[in-house]
Amino acid sequence: MKRYLVAADADQIQNLLFRSSHLREVIGGSMMLSQFCKEETNPALAKIIADFHGNVIINDGGSFRLTLGSDKEAKDFLECLADLFREETGGTLTVAGPIEYNDGEFRSKNETLQLELLNAKYYRTGAETEPQLPVSAFCTSCGIGLAAQYARPAWELPGEEKTYLCNHCYDKAEDKLLKAHFFYQDYRDAIKKKHAADFNKFLENPKDPAELIGSLDATQYVGYVLADVNGMGRHFNRRESPEDLTKLSNDLTAALWASLAAPIPDLIKRLRERKSGERELIEKLENRMPIVPLILGGDDVLALVPARYALDIGSRFGEEFEKHMNGITIGVAVIICQKHYPYTLAYERGHKLLEQAKKHGKSLGTQKLSAINFEVILGNELKVSAEDEVGKEKEYHSSLKPYWIGAKANAESSESSHAGIHFERILHHRLALKNIPQKRLHELRRFFDPRRLNELHKDKEREEWNKGFEDFLHRIKPESWASALESAIKELGPWRNIKRWPKKDFDPATGLLDLIEAWDYAYKLDKPDKDYQPKESRA
């Protein structure tokens, strides 16, 4: 039977979602995108054909794949969908097709359609402008669109002042309030399904995510978890029928929600164990979401999590995803920063780290593994991007990031160990080294500081570094934690003989520096916080 295959993808989704001044509007944008995919696809079809049941293959996360009965119906639908998307969201769609196919040709034609879509996005032409008048007010949220509303952007927050908003930022704020139930209900359903036996708590919709999650840490820090599936386009192209492709899309969404729901009971348990001084605060937060999904659509995830457990949550997320998707791997990045740090900068830096994690996951050739990358942003520092470092001479990098995560990495440890180590070692040695004094941690950081290592050009300078490090190990030998540190040095780095400088073409990398960087945020969820309390030390 002859059919016509079409595709559409939202352009610059991150720009569409992040073109706002408040994190709550980002959530509203994510809700808007999700609801458009679910609720507007069939109405668009209804304008073109009378019977549209069975035409939709995928409509999630800003991606659309459909089949129609004729070339004209397919072209009319794409035009209608693009117009409706721009009207409802202020964004644009790139479309591809129609491509004719018969029974048994779906896989090959779907691959051709995907290539056509990628080419259309890459070679997109034409200019798009916003109408602007010098006597008009601009939106105080995005700063781009013309103001069309004078309203409170968040009605649920007391004391919120009225301001000028464009229609799209106003719609995001409205969707955040009116459609939150539908967005978060998928999350609540995933939590109940995952933990039906021991979890029946109703988690309220978060009003101000940054304030909520920031209040769970004494330093007011939060963690952003970003994730992206490895090679999802390849998996989609291998489907033999529209039904297989629909099932894969549905399974993917369910796996992402389930993976985000997995840590919830242990996290709530840890919050309940907080000291009595925080009891009143914890009781107020007990029915709130301790992990807040900000974006979840297609194969992309962005979530806000408590800083103290951010790394373990990110690692668990990757492991759970592998289980649910039968070994399909994923890249994860975690950014830890102050709750009021600009979320756009945090996301931009996290996306760079996510690209590194995904590249690391593919570094073994045909063997694909899940990987995690992370960074702690102190205060208001602005991290240098990879593009800013282009053209510089090669420097020593004392970090071992990214790290392997997931069951596949454990199973293939012998093959993957030469290219990195498993993240579980970082979490293990954080607990094993709980008694090491902060003074000694600072000394170790100075030894492996990249700036210091980059200055060691001559043999004499390297010999002095070796001698200083040997003296340090000798001084700490009587301490009770010395053997734990020696074990960490051996297991958190590719070089085993710590008394001899590596070859010139070998970076003196060690995961010890990564552990020190993440010291306050490498707590495991299955261990009570009291287990991390240090005993008295002579140092």
Side-chain angles (χ1 to χ4, degrees):
M1 177 180 174
K2 184 185 296 184
R3 300 288 292 175
Y4 290 83
L5 191 61
V6 297
D9 256 10
D11 298 319
Q12 298 181 330
I13 292 179
Q14 281 73 28
N15 180 55
L16 174 66
L17 299 182
F18 287 98
R19 195 175 64 189
S20 302
S21 58
H22 297 287
L23 190 58
R24 59 176 180 262
E25 291 165 18
V26 174
I27 304 176
S30 182
M31 294 175 183
M32 176 193 295
L33 183 62
S34 177
Q35 290 302 113
F36 179 90
C37 293
K38 293 178 180 179
E39 297 180 357
E40 302 298 337
T41 308
N42 284 342
L45 279 170
K47 294 181 179 180
I48 309 301
I49 56 178
D51 183 9
F52 51 81
H53 297 289
N55 293 83
V56 178
I57 302 174
I58 296 175
N59 59 333
D60 186 32
S63 294
F64 303 85
R65 300 291 186 279
L66 298 96
T67 63
L68 290 107
S70 72
D71 182 81
K72 184 179 185 306
E73 288 178 357
K75 290 178 178 177
D76 289 346
F77 169 75
L78 289 177
E79 183 178 351
C80 178
L81 185 69
D83 289 343
L84 190 59
F85 187 79
R86 183 174 182 83
E87 179 183 339
E88 292 289 329
T89 69
T92 59
L93 290 176
T94 294
V95 301
I99 291 181
E100 180 183 328
Y101 75 97
N102 294 296
D103 293 341
E105 296 180 333
F106 178 80
R107 177 171 176 174
S108 62
K109 297 300 184 181
N110 184 45
E111 290 178 354
T112 302
L113 181 71
Q114 180 66 15
L115 181 60
E116 183 179 314
L117 182 65
L118 293 175
N119 286 334
K121 291 176 78 73
Y122 186 77
Y123 295 109
R124 188 182 182 90
T125 58
E128 299 170 5
T129 61
E130 288 276 1
Q132 297 183 3
L133 296 173
V135 294
S136 299
F138 289 95
C139 176
T140 57
S141 182
C142 68
I144 298 175
L146 287 174
Q149 305 279 349
Y150 184 64
R152 293 170 58 192
W155 307 304
E156 75 273 30
L157 296 179
E160 189 81 15
E161 298 292 334
K162 288 186 176 182
T163 187
Y164 290 101
L165 299 171
C166 68
N167 281 328
H168 301 304
C169 286
Y170 179 82
D171 289 343
K172 288 180 183 179
E174 187 177 37
D175 283 0
K176 163 63 174 64
L177 183 66
L178 300 180
K179 297 181 179 179
H181 172 75
F182 299 100
F183 183 76
Y184 290 119
Q185 191 57 43
D186 289 338
Y187 188 32
R188 284 188 282 261
D189 290 344
I191 294 172
K192 290 180 180 179
K193 183 177 181 180
K194 182 75 176 174
H195 310 289
D198 56 359
F199 193 88
N200 56 8
K201 183 186 297 295
F202 179 82
L203 299 177
E204 299 176 4
N205 298 337
K207 295 179 180 179
D208 194 326
E211 287 292 337
L212 169 65
I213 302 301
S215 65
L216 299 177
D217 191 273
T219 62
Q220 300 289 294
Y221 272 59
V222 299
Y224 288 92
V225 175
L226 297 82
D228 190 24
V229 183
N230 293 328
M232 207 61 220
R234 183 179 69 255
H235 293 294
F236 272 58
N237 288 340
R238 290 176 176 174
R239 302 301 104 174
E240 298 290 348
S241 68
E243 294 76 15
D244 288 343
L245 189 53
T246 300
K247 183 178 185 304
L248 177 60
S249 177
N250 293 338
D251 289 346
L252 173 63
T253 301
L256 293 175
W257 280 123
S259 301
L260 205 58
I264 289 291
D266 281 347
L267 180 54
I268 290 180
K269 189 183 298 183
R270 297 288 83 83
L271 296 178
R272 287 176 174 173
E273 292 171 353
R274 290 288 178 85
K275 57 185 180 181
S276 58
E278 298 178 85
R279 179 62 56 191
E280 182 179 352
L281 174 62
I282 296 305
E283 287 177 353
K284 289 181 180 179
L285 297 172
E286 205 170 57
N287 290 323
R288 308 286 176 85
M289 292 182 179
I291 296 177
V292 179
L294 305 176
I295 298 173
L296 195 147
D299 61 347
D300 293 320
V301 173
L302 176 65
L304 198 61
V305 306
R308 178 174 294 195
Y309 312 102
L311 295 178
D312 194 22
I313 290 173
S315 177
R316 283 191 179 201
F317 179 90
E319 293 176 356
E320 286 290 329
F321 180 83
E322 277 191 13
K323 294 176 185 177
H324 283 275
M325 293 300 292
N326 296 319
I328 292 179
T329 58
I330 194 168
V332 179
V334 179
I335 290 289
I336 298 168
C337 58
Q338 288 183 341
K339 67 178 183 181
H340 293 310
Y341 188 81
Y343 62 83
T344 51
L345 296 181
Y347 179 83
E348 181 180 352
R349 184 57 181 169
H351 199 265
K352 295 293 182 185
L353 298 182
L354 183 58
E355 290 177 352
Q356 295 172 13
K358 289 173 66 66
K359 183 178 179 181
H360 189 60
K362 302 173 184 177
S363 63
L364 300 180
T366 57
Q367 179 188 3
K368 304 295 187 295
L369 300 178
S370 297
I372 187 171
N373 206 353
F374 63 90
E375 195 163 77
V376 178
I377 300 177
L378 299 175
N380 292 317
E381 66 177 325
L382 184 64
K383 290 292 184 177
V384 178
S385 66
E387 286 81 358
D388 296 330
E389 296 177 351
V390 173
K392 290 185 178 181
E393 294 183 3
K394 183 181 182 301
E395 298 179 344
Y396 286 117
H397 298 286
S398 49
S399 169
L400 281 185
K401 296 181 290 190
Y403 290 84
W404 304 122
I405 56 173
K408 287 186 70 175
N410 279 327
E412 305 293 342
S413 59
S414 59
E415 288 79 4
S416 61
S417 60
H418 71 279
I421 62 177
H422 202 282
F423 184 69
E424 180 61 29
R425 293 191 194 180
I426 292 288
L427 300 178
H428 168 77
H429 288 292
R430 169 60 182 92
L431 182 60
L433 288 171
K434 66 180 182 179
N435 293 321
I436 187 172
Q438 288 291 324
K439 174 184 175 182
R440 299 307 189 191
L441 289 177
H442 292 318
E443 286 186 76
L444 285 169
R445 177 183 285 276
R446 287 197 298 270
F447 273 115
F448 294 99
D449 190 318
R451 292 168 295 183
R452 180 179 181 182
L453 295 175
N454 288 326
E455 296 173 355
L456 304 180
H457 302 296
K458 299 179 181 179
D459 290 341
K460 182 179 180 181
E461 294 171 338
R462 296 180 179 183
E463 289 175 4
E464 290 177 353
W465 186 94
N466 279 332
K467 185 177 184 305
F469 195 55
E470 289 177 18
D471 289 344
F472 169 79
L473 294 176
H474 180 73
R475 291 199 312 272
I476 67 168
K477 201 166 186 180
E479 301 293 346
S480 60
W481 44 265
S483 60
L485 178 59
E486 184 177 355
S487 175
I489 291 172
K490 290 179 179 179
E491 293 187 18
L492 292 178
W495 49 295
R496 296 292 180 261
N497 187 352
I498 60 177
K499 295 184 179 181
R500 183 179 179 184
W501 186 264
K503 297 178 181 179
K504 291 183 179 180
D505 60 349
F506 188 84
D507 286 351
T510 173
L512 197 60
L513 188 66
D514 299 331
L515 172 57
I516 296 171
E517 175 191 359
W519 189 259
D520 294 326
Y521 313 106
Y523 284 62
K524 294 189 68 173
L525 284 169
D526 59 355
K527 299 289 184 182
D529 286 4
K530 62 181 179 61
D531 288 1
Y532 288 85
Q533 296 300 315
K535 297 178 181 179
E536 292 185 1
S537 173
R538 289 184 293 169

